[in-house]
Amino acid sequence: MIDSARLKTVFRTIASAMDTHRDRLCALDGVIGDADHGIAMTLGYSAARDAVDALDDTCDPTALLNTAAKSFLNAVGASSGPLYATAFMRAAACVKGKPVVEDADFVAMLQAMAQGMVDRGKAAVGEKTMIDAWLPASNAARTSWDETANLCESLSAAVRAANAGMEATASMVATKGRSARLGERSLGHVDPGAASAVVAIEAMREALCC
Amino acid sequence: MIDSARLKTVFRTIASAMDTHRDRLCALDGVIGDADHGIAMTLGYSAARDAVDALDDTCDPTALLNTAAKSFLNAVGASSGPLYATAFMRAAACVKGKPVVEDADFVAMLQAMAQGMVDRGKAAVGEKTMIDAWLPASNAARTSWDETANLCESLSAAVRAANAGMEATASMVATKGRSARLGERSLGHVDPGAASAVVAIEAMREALCC
Amino acid sequence: MQTKKIINDGGRAVDEMLEGVLAAHPRHLRAVAGSPRSIVAVAGPRVGKVGLVIGGGSGHEPTFLGFVGKGLADAAAIGNVFASPPPDPILECAKAVSGGAGVLFMYGNYAGDVMNFDMAAEMAAMDDIEVRTVLTTDDIASAPRDQIEKRRGVAGNFFIFKAAGAACDLLYPLEECERIARKANSRTYTMGVALSPCSLPQTRKPNFEIGADEMEIGMGIHGEPGISRGELKTADQITDEMLDRILAEMAPARGDRVAVLVNSLGSTPLMELYIMNRRVSQRLSEIGVEVHATWVGNYCTSLEMAGASVTLMHLDDEMTTMLDHPCDCAMFRAG
Amino acid sequence: MQTKKIINDGGRAVDEMLEGVLAAHPRHLRAVAGSPRSIVAVAGPRVGKVGLVIGGGSGHEPTFLGFVGKGLADAAAIGNVFASPPPDPILECAKAVSGGAGVLFMYGNYAGDVMNFDMAAEMAAMDDIEVRTVLTTDDIASAPRDQIEKRRGVAGNFFIFKAAGAACDLLYPLEECERIARKANSRTYTMGVALSPCSLPQTRKPNFEIGADEMEIGMGIHGEPGISRGELKTADQITDEMLDRILAEMAPARGDRVAVLVNSLGSTPLMELYIMNRRVSQRLSEIGVEVHATWVGNYCTSLEMAGASVTLMHLDDEMTTMLDHPCDCAMFRAG
Ligand SMILES: Nc1ncnc2c1ncn2[C@@H]1O[C@H](COP(=O)(O)OP(=O)(O)O)[C@@H](O)[C@H]1O
Ligand SMILES: Nc1ncnc2c1ncn2[C@@H]1O[C@H](COP(=O)(O)OP(=O)(O)O)[C@@H](O)[C@H]1O
Ligand SMILES: [Mg+2]
Ligand SMILES: [Mg+2]
Ligand SMILES: [Mg+2]
Ligand SMILES: [Mg+2]
């Protein structure tokens, strides 16, 4: 069971993980994009962290996640802003009316987030974007949950799948986002959005399971 | 005796020496000025060389030196342009009406050149300019000539004096030209105009004595 | 080692820049109350006029905010460095400039901008503001001709915004403004070359690596890799390479007229730009194409990146009228 | 390793630049026949008007030639990079713009320029053209206050030329034009800071060395060393240091008005300049000094040098009128 206080911890943990990985994410983006992905992600998650921290612990998860969405979006813009903001809004919708997030809800939220990103960015798996990490990760969480009904097992499965998805982006030619114009020249490089997805999902597991 | 053909050789030799020293002169100017003195001197002497080369060998020394003055000035501008152009015009005036330059005339020409530079630039010895090389050099040539009546001896004396004058500029605070605003910060650095004076005078000796 | 910048705090650079811009140009620009990233022309918007909202990431100055003013754009939404603004400041711009005749959104074709401007357009529709969107896609190096919809918008923005801004200023209806904007975009061709990187104020690290004797052809204005990397060539060779590609697509006839923009990406000085323009003018005169007007300077930059771009706009009478139409912006004037 | 430049032949860079300039600005500029380094305004000179001739070395674009046009300078004599033009092109400018009311020579106070312009003035006198000369000395870092006559002319040229150009355009007699030029110079104060070197097209070597975390305060616009070198500071600290010195000399009273120029030496982008201007405007408002107008951008450069300068002109009614006077130049417009 994840109440709003624990959700705040999740945002705090992701924000601090993004800080740690900021320069690496910028460097990855420098190779096939515009070198700012680490900045966007740290800005977005620290804005979300600060905004949800300012809420009362009694605030419901839907309100908290919508607040995260709005603050992330307004701090960032860019590609990551609408993608993550949409993801958080879908997560919020997914737990609408519930006072707390049950473990099963969290798994459903992960899937709603990934679907929100797909809807917003119109990317499919294989186009070398954060979708290549998020979609397999959320699916893996679902499969694991259906087998184990254990959130930490599910999050571990998500982390493994996200990592595999991220690594797979290195051998993809980008067809969405800024690097789509590179064609073959994007080959051999990991997508920064997929890399930050791994950071985010790992931080969720850390916040909820460690 | 120096006829117009030999005067052309003098310009050719100086021009090629300036080429050799171009980057060193620019570097010296970079420390206390604007890093272009080597460019000004190569431009000026190659323009003078080309202009006098285009003249007939029967042309008199005055006409040749005035041509050198005009072409040097128009190619260069800057500080070196008016200073050297004035020097050449004074040298021209100094042999006015003569069909060739006698050795004694050449010594007088050197003094006229230095005086022309002083008149044009209003610098005295000790202000860290090309005057610190040219004035002692032309005076040394005069003294040596009065003793030896030998042009090559005189030019050797001029080269020694020019070198000493150039070295002395390192311990002067500039009060004329671009480096005058440096104050104490010009200390320890040789003046580029004095350095190029040495190059020019050495090349004269080479052209006339080697 | 950090790159050198005259800034205070990298994270505050964009907001501090905007404060400095408003202090410098009070007769031209103001921020929307409560929305400091929404910059509006003091004299632009008016009732019955289509409002032109442009925008995108910061770091391209004078694009975008420098082109806000009477006769050109009515507002610019300002993002972080090289990052689309979020929907909110875009929406605030739309509201501030809406005079009842609709609003035109124009910006470079980047995934981030598309998502944020589209979200803002949806929000504006809920406020009963009719929004049309025209993406600029003038960078011919960024995708082949048969995938024009994938191309980026770069320095040609200047011509395209200018044409659309004139149409809005002439009180054309929304459909006409949109048509002219699309037409301007379809007649504008840019190629760029980059010589050295820039660095973001937050990281102060070069945003890409490039050899000391290399240049990158077709690099984007955010340092996105271009089409090829090679030895640095001469000004004439570089200009020829750009013009060969531009003219192949534009295919002007003898007697046609063009407008020329030779643009610095940041640190390439006017001397080099004018040397390039010399070649542009030689080449055009060789094929009998007349230059109607030329702009040379920093029009669409990537912070301190070294490099330059050449843009040609293929004119007809309508486009000529739009370009000649007077405008008075904070950082640009015409007519 | 050579520095990167988009040029053809370093020795031809200035002449090729001029060809590109004339191709870009045929409605504003032309060269004197037979004297390609003498650039004249198409619309400036006229009978009965004092002719304003400015000039100096190349590499400072848009200074000098960009300020040639109706209402500002009538002609510019163009030297090699960082080198005064020789007397001939200066004389040709004087002849081309002389309308019988005399000619004013204005240029930065450098030994080379003084010698060449003085020679040209002597030659003009032989052609019965009355020439007056006003040297600009706005760089307060270049000599102490009691040796103002030793100071260099830098970005403040822009204000000083503008004021004098307005006086000439208003058909004031030569004495008045000279008086206004001197007054403008005496009321204009500049301080600059350099972060990285530039390189001459002929050598393509950095013209000075500077540490990766250093800046040089008071450096000249040709890379001449300044007054001190120190650690790179923040934008506010740098601006404060400049303003402290400028304001100490200018000593404005509460309610006084100034014009502001925040100028890039070449590769410092608008973002940084506007961040500096934010501080300028804060400081001035703190002491109750009103900003009449602000210009921000590349006005007086040193090729691709990184750095910036701040210039304040202390206005009175006369100077305000002169600055507000319209002008229409190739690279600058006002009014
Ligand atoms: N249409 C899209 N759908 C999903 N993800 C996308 C899309 N476009 C871009 N991305 C992701 O966004 C990442 C870049 O984000 P960021 O650097 O923050 O934005 P920007 O490209 O605006 O600089 C890419 O690495 C990619 O994973
Ligand atoms: N007034 C002067 N009198 C004599 N020599 C001078 C004077 N001013 C400058 N110089 C000389 O000129 C040299 C610089 O020449 P150069 O680099 O060609 O010109 P610029 O200073 O215009 O760049 C200085 O090193 C100095 O020797
Ligand atoms: Mg990015
Ligand atoms: Mg010099
Ligand atoms: Mg970005
Ligand atoms: Mg010089």
Side-chain angles (χ1 to χ4, degrees):
Chain A
M1 189 215 73
I2 305 154
D3 60 8
S4 286
R6 284 189 80 202
L7 280 177
K8 290 183 183 180
T9 310
V10 172
F11 278 102
R12 235 178 274 128
T13 313
I14 303 179
S16 115
M18 287 299 166
D19 260 347
T20 309
H21 291 276
R22 188 185 84 144
D23 287 355
R24 182 175 67 87
L25 295 172
C26 283
L28 286 175
D29 198 23
V31 181
I32 59 169
D34 62 350
D36 66 354
H37 187 60
I39 295 166
M41 294 305 285
T42 46
L43 266 183
Y45 271 107
S46 54
R49 174 201 59 207
D50 293 348
V52 303
D53 268 348
L55 298 175
D56 203 282
D57 274 357
T58 60
C59 137
D60 70 29
T62 296
L64 185 145
L65 289 162
N66 275 328
T67 298
K70 204 174 165 55
S71 54
F72 192 109
L73 181 58
N74 279 330
V76 171
S79 301
S80 323
L83 292 165
Y84 273 92
T86 307
F88 297 145
M89 288 191 285
R90 294 293 178 84
C94 184
V95 293
K96 187 146 191 185
K98 305 203 175 183
V100 294
V101 176
E102 300 296 339
D103 286 4
D105 297 332
F106 199 88
V107 173
M109 268 172 50
L110 289 177
Q111 289 198 284
M113 287 177 71
Q115 189 56 45
M117 290 176 174
V118 168
D119 292 346
R120 174 61 61 199
K122 313 266 182 307
V125 165
E127 297 200 274
K128 198 180 183 109
T129 69
M130 54 178 75
I131 298 305
D132 290 303
W134 269 105
L135 211 59
S138 63
N139 289 337
R142 158 65 49 204
T143 309
S144 166
W145 176 265
D146 289 347
E147 285 167 14
T148 65
N150 178 317
L151 180 59
C152 290
E153 290 284 333
S154 304
L155 285 173
S156 293
V159 166
R160 280 192 304 274
N163 262 305
M166 170 193 77
E167 262 147 39
T169 62
S171 49
M172 296 175 188
V173 172
T175 51
K176 277 280 178 330
R178 209 175 278 281
S179 37
R181 281 86 176 207
L182 279 187
E184 304 283 312
R185 287 177 90 191
S186 65
L187 274 175
H189 306 289
V190 158
D191 176 65
S196 66
V198 169
V199 173
I201 298 167
E202 271 179 348
M204 288 177 176
R205 180 184 58 175
E206 187 194 324
L208 296 174
C209 306
C210 300
Chain B
M1 188 215 72
I2 304 154
D3 60 8
S4 286
R6 283 189 81 199
L7 280 178
K8 291 183 185 182
T9 310
V10 172
F11 278 101
R12 236 178 273 129
T13 313
I14 303 178
S16 116
M18 288 299 166
D19 260 348
T20 309
H21 291 276
R22 189 185 83 144
D23 287 356
R24 181 175 68 87
L25 296 172
C26 283
L28 286 174
D29 198 23
V31 181
I32 59 169
D34 63 350
D36 66 354
H37 187 60
I39 295 166
M41 295 304 284
T42 45
L43 266 182
Y45 271 107
S46 54
R49 174 202 58 206
D50 293 348
V52 304
D53 268 349
L55 297 175
D56 203 284
D57 274 357
T58 60
C59 138
D60 70 30
T62 297
L64 184 146
L65 289 163
N66 275 327
T67 299
K70 203 170 166 56
S71 53
F72 193 109
L73 182 57
N74 279 329
V76 171
S79 301
S80 323
L83 292 166
Y84 273 92
T86 307
F88 297 146
M89 287 192 286
R90 294 293 178 84
C94 184
V95 292
K96 188 145 188 184
K98 303 203 175 181
V100 294
V101 176
E102 300 296 340
D103 286 4
D105 297 332
F106 198 87
V107 173
M109 268 170 50
L110 288 178
Q111 289 198 284
M113 287 177 71
Q115 189 55 46
M117 291 176 174
V118 168
D119 292 346
R120 176 59 61 199
K122 311 268 183 304
V125 164
E127 297 201 273
K128 198 179 182 108
T129 69
M130 55 178 74
I131 297 305
D132 289 304
W134 269 106
L135 212 58
S138 63
N139 289 338
R142 158 64 49 204
T143 308
S144 166
W145 177 264
D146 289 347
E147 283 167 15
T148 66
N150 179 320
L151 180 59
C152 290
E153 289 284 332
S154 305
L155 285 173
S156 293
V159 167
R160 281 192 303 273
N163 262 306
M166 170 193 75
E167 262 147 39
T169 61
S171 49
M172 297 175 188
V173 173
T175 51
K176 278 281 179 330
R178 210 174 278 281
S179 38
R181 282 88 176 205
L182 278 187
E184 305 283 311
R185 287 178 90 192
S186 65
L187 275 175
H189 307 288
V190 157
D191 176 66
S196 66
V198 170
V199 173
I201 298 166
E202 271 180 348
M204 288 178 178
R205 181 184 56 175
E206 187 194 324
L208 296 174
C209 305
C210 299
Chain C
M1 183 49 72
Q2 291 199 315
T3 57
K4 286 181 176 178
K5 285 184 186 291
I6 306 183
I7 57 174
N8 295 306
D9 167 359
R12 295 253 318 127
V14 172
D15 293 304
E16 291 189 351
M17 167 184 76
L18 290 179
E19 289 178 38
V21 167
L22 295 178
H25 307 294
R27 281 184 291 267
H28 286 95
L29 300 176
R30 63 177 181 83
V32 171
S35 187
R37 297 287 191 97
S38 305
I39 304 295
V40 188
V42 169
R46 49 201 198 274
V47 175
K49 176 186 169 312
V50 171
L52 177 57
V53 175
I54 60 176
S58 293
H60 308 302
E61 292 71 29
T63 296
F64 297 88
L65 53 80
F67 302 140
V68 173
K70 170 92 176 68
L72 220 160
D74 297 297
I78 311 296
N80 292 332
V81 177
F82 298 167
S84 167
D88 258 11
I90 305 170
L91 175 65
E92 292 304 322
C93 284
K95 286 191 206 163
V97 307
S98 161
V103 169
L104 190 57
F105 281 0
M106 293 185 73
Y107 52 91
N109 181 29
Y110 298 91
D113 295 276
V114 172
M115 289 189 270
N116 286 284
F117 274 86
D118 278 354
M119 288 173 83
E122 288 164 28
M123 291 150 85
M126 294 195 275
D127 284 342
D128 289 322
I129 299 174
E130 186 180 358
V131 172
R132 301 282 175 91
T133 294
V134 177
L135 302 176
T136 63
T137 58
D138 57 301
D139 184 358
I140 65 170
S142 56
R145 205 175 187 164
D146 57 356
Q147 298 170 33
I148 282 185
E149 72 290 347
K150 284 203 181 162
R151 288 184 175 173
R152 302 181 285 235
V154 289
N157 278 342
F158 167 67
F159 286 144
I160 306 163
F161 294 166
K162 173 82 186 67
C168 296
D169 195 48
L170 291 164
L171 301 182
Y172 289 4
L174 185 56
E175 297 71 44
E176 270 295 282
C177 296
E178 183 187 347
R179 179 187 64 77
I180 285 173
R182 289 195 195 286
K183 179 173 166 184
N185 182 56
S186 74
R187 298 177 77 98
T188 302
Y189 308 83
T190 302
M191 266 285 289
V193 59
L195 272 58
S196 73
C198 60
S199 67
L200 300 169
Q202 297 99 324
T203 57
R204 296 176 82 160
K205 296 206 168 70
N207 61 343
F208 58 87
E209 309 274 333
I210 186 163
D213 54 357
E214 282 185 328
M215 63 177 188
E216 172 113 6
I217 297 183
M219 174 163 282
I221 55 171
H222 311 87
E224 308 97 327
I227 37 179
S228 70
R229 192 168 276 207
E231 208 192 326
L232 177 61
K233 303 231 179 78
T234 68
D236 285 357
Q237 287 168 329
I238 292 170
T239 310
D240 281 345
E241 187 152 347
M242 293 171 169
L243 283 177
D244 287 345
R245 284 173 175 263
I246 290 173
L247 293 171
E249 285 217 10
M250 188 167 88
R254 213 159 241 288
D256 279 3
R257 272 165 309 135
V258 296
V260 176
L261 170 65
V262 183
N263 172 58
S264 171
L265 291 182
S267 61
T268 291
L270 282 176
M271 184 175 289
E272 299 173 35
L273 302 181
Y274 278 112
I275 290 174
M276 293 176 71
N277 186 56
R278 165 182 171 273
R279 185 67 186 159
V280 170
S281 119
Q282 284 176 350
R283 286 284 307 268
L284 291 173
S285 110
E286 272 166 29
I287 57 169
V289 169
E290 190 194 320
V291 176
H292 175 70
T294 304
W295 286 273
V296 179
N298 291 38
Y299 285 83
C300 184
T301 62
S302 294
L303 294 170
E304 74 280 13
M305 197 185 289
S309 63
V310 170
T311 303
L312 297 190
M313 186 185 213
H314 198 173
L315 298 177
D316 61 3
D317 289 345
E318 185 174 56
M319 287 298 121
T320 307
T321 308
M322 297 301 137
L323 279 199
D324 289 349
H325 187 77
C327 70
D328 181 11
C329 304
M331 308 178 199
F332 177 70
R333 280 177 54 181
Chain D
M1 184 49 72
Q2 289 200 315
T3 57
K4 286 181 177 177
K5 286 185 186 290
I6 306 182
I7 57 175
N8 294 307
D9 167 358
R12 295 255 317 130
V14 172
D15 293 304
E16 291 189 353
M17 168 184 76
L18 290 179
E19 288 178 39
V21 166
L22 295 178
H25 308 293
R27 281 184 292 267
H28 286 95
L29 301 176
R30 62 176 181 85
V32 171
S35 186
R37 297 288 190 96
S38 306
I39 305 295
V40 188
V42 169
R46 49 202 197 275
V47 174
K49 175 186 171 308
V50 171
L52 176 57
V53 176
I54 60 176
S58 293
H60 307 303
E61 292 71 30
T63 296
F64 297 87
L65 54 80
F67 301 139
V68 173
K70 170 91 176 71
L72 221 160
D74 297 297
I78 311 297
N80 293 331
V81 176
F82 298 168
S84 167
D88 258 10
I90 304 171
L91 175 65
E92 292 305 321
C93 284
K95 286 192 207 162
V97 307
S98 160
V103 169
L104 189 58
F105 282 181
M106 293 185 73
Y107 52 91
N109 181 28
Y110 298 91
D113 295 276
V114 172
M115 289 188 270
N116 287 284
F117 275 86
D118 278 355
M119 287 172 83
E122 288 164 28
M123 291 151 82
M126 293 194 276
D127 283 343
D128 289 322
I129 300 175
E130 186 181 359
V131 172
R132 301 282 176 93
T133 295
V134 177
L135 302 177
T136 63
T137 58
D138 58 300
D139 184 358
I140 65 170
S142 56
R145 204 174 188 163
D146 57 356
Q147 298 170 34
I148 282 185
E149 73 291 347
K150 283 202 183 165
R151 288 182 174 174
R152 300 180 287 236
V154 289
N157 277 343
F158 167 66
F159 286 144
I160 305 163
F161 295 165
K162 173 82 186 68
C168 296
D169 195 48
L170 290 164
L171 300 182
Y172 289 4
L174 184 56
E175 296 69 46
E176 271 296 282
C177 295
E178 182 186 350
R179 179 187 65 75
I180 285 173
R182 288 195 195 286
K183 180 173 166 184
N185 182 56
S186 74
R187 298 177 77 98
T188 302
Y189 307 84
T190 302
M191 267 284 289
V193 58
L195 272 58
S196 73
C198 61
S199 66
L200 299 169
Q202 298 98 324
T203 58
R204 296 177 81 161
K205 297 208 167 69
N207 61 344
F208 59 85
E209 308 275 334
I210 186 162
D213 54 358
E214 284 185 327
M215 64 177 187
E216 172 111 8
I217 296 182
M219 176 164 280
I221 55 170
H222 312 87
E224 308 96 326
I227 38 180
S228 70
R229 191 168 278 206
E231 207 191 326
L232 178 61
K233 304 231 179 78
T234 67
D236 285 357
Q237 287 168 330
I238 292 170
T239 310
D240 281 345
E241 186 152 348
M242 292 172 171
L243 283 177
D244 287 346
R245 284 173 175 263
I246 289 172
L247 293 171
E249 286 217 10
M250 187 168 89
R254 214 159 240 288
D256 279 3
R257 272 164 311 134
V258 296
V260 176
L261 171 66
V262 183
N263 172 58
S264 171
L265 291 183
S267 61
T268 292
L270 283 177
M271 183 175 289
E272 299 174 34
L273 303 181
Y274 278 112
I275 290 174
M276 294 176 71
N277 186 56
R278 166 183 171 274
R279 184 69 186 159
V280 171
S281 120
Q282 283 176 350
R283 285 285 307 270
L284 292 173
S285 111
E286 273 165 30
I287 57 169
V289 169
E290 189 193 320
V291 176
H292 174 71
T294 304
W295 285 272
V296 179
N298 292 37
Y299 286 82
C300 184
T301 62
S302 295
L303 294 171
E304 74 280 13
M305 196 186 290
S309 64
V310 171
T311 304
L312 297 190
M313 185 185 212
H314 198 173
L315 299 177
D316 61 4
D317 288 346
E318 182 172 59
M319 287 298 121
T320 307
T321 307
M322 297 301 137
L323 279 199
D324 289 349
H325 188 77
C327 69
D328 181 11
C329 304
M331 308 178 199
F332 177 70
R333 279 178 53 182

